[in-house]
Amino acid sequence: MGAKVTKSDAEWRAMLTSMQYNVARRKGTERPFTGEHWDRKDKGIYRCVCCDAELFASGAKFDSGTGWPSYTMPIKPEHIRTDEDDSWFKRRTEVLCAACDAHLGHVFDDGPQPAGRRYCINSASLKFEKR
């Protein structure tokens, strides 16, 4: 991964839709079953909406039944980072883009084997590149 991507709040607001800004820069979330990628079946790469970093491949995507895009693993572990999230009255593990610190979603230990991970990611944090 290259250099850290930093922009002012005004620059992020200018380049993102209000939903993308709320989710990626303000740690919001979209309602389940409403994002453009939750049921996408096309083959391709999911990139960070803020900095274009490659985050998840369609081959790692699965239907978790939650209404958000879910993945078993990132393209490369170093493309994401995690942080503890104590909001919503419970401890969760937040997933962020390692390049620009965009909020992507959360990771849980209830995914399919062998890894057992479910990266539950907001569509608003992603853009899709069909391959």
Side-chain angles (χ1 to χ4, degrees):
M1 194 140 261
K4 197 78 163 168
V5 176
T6 56
K7 295 183 183 212
S8 69
D9 190 61
E11 288 173 308
W12 289 125
R13 281 184 186 273
M15 70 175 280
L16 301 170
T17 68
S18 60
M19 174 63 84
Q20 290 169 334
Y21 177 82
N22 181 53
V23 171
R25 305 317 311 175
R26 292 289 174 232
K27 300 181 187 289
T29 191
E30 62 204 11
R31 291 190 339 253
F33 304 103
T34 62
E36 69 176 300
H37 304 304
W38 76 269
D39 65 346
R40 181 183 292 277
K41 306 279 192 279
D42 301 319
K43 301 239 183 275
I45 301 293
Y46 294 87
R47 294 177 172 274
C48 178
V49 73
C50 294
C51 72
D52 208 37
E54 289 187 345
L55 300 173
F56 300 96
S58 60
K61 190 171 188 283
F62 69 99
D63 183 358
S64 64
T66 62
W68 287 279
S70 295
Y71 307 87
T72 56
M73 70 180 97
I75 287 178
K76 291 185 178 177
E78 62 268 23
H79 287 195
I80 64 161
R81 69 177 188 83
T82 59
D83 199 8
E84 290 305 312
D85 176 2
D86 292 323
S87 65
W88 295 94
F89 307 105
K90 60 183 167 183
R91 176 160 283 189
R92 299 179 294 172
T93 302
E94 180 184 12
V95 179
L96 301 111
C97 175
C100 71
D101 296 326
H103 170 77
L104 304 173
H106 293 86
V107 62
F108 303 95
D109 290 326
D110 61 1
Q113 294 303 317
R117 307 296 301 244
R118 174 174 54 96
Y119 290 85
C120 188
I121 307 298
N122 289 283
S123 288
S125 294
L126 303 172
K127 56 184 170 182
F128 182 73
E129 180 182 305
K130 194 172 183 174
R131 298 239 167 120

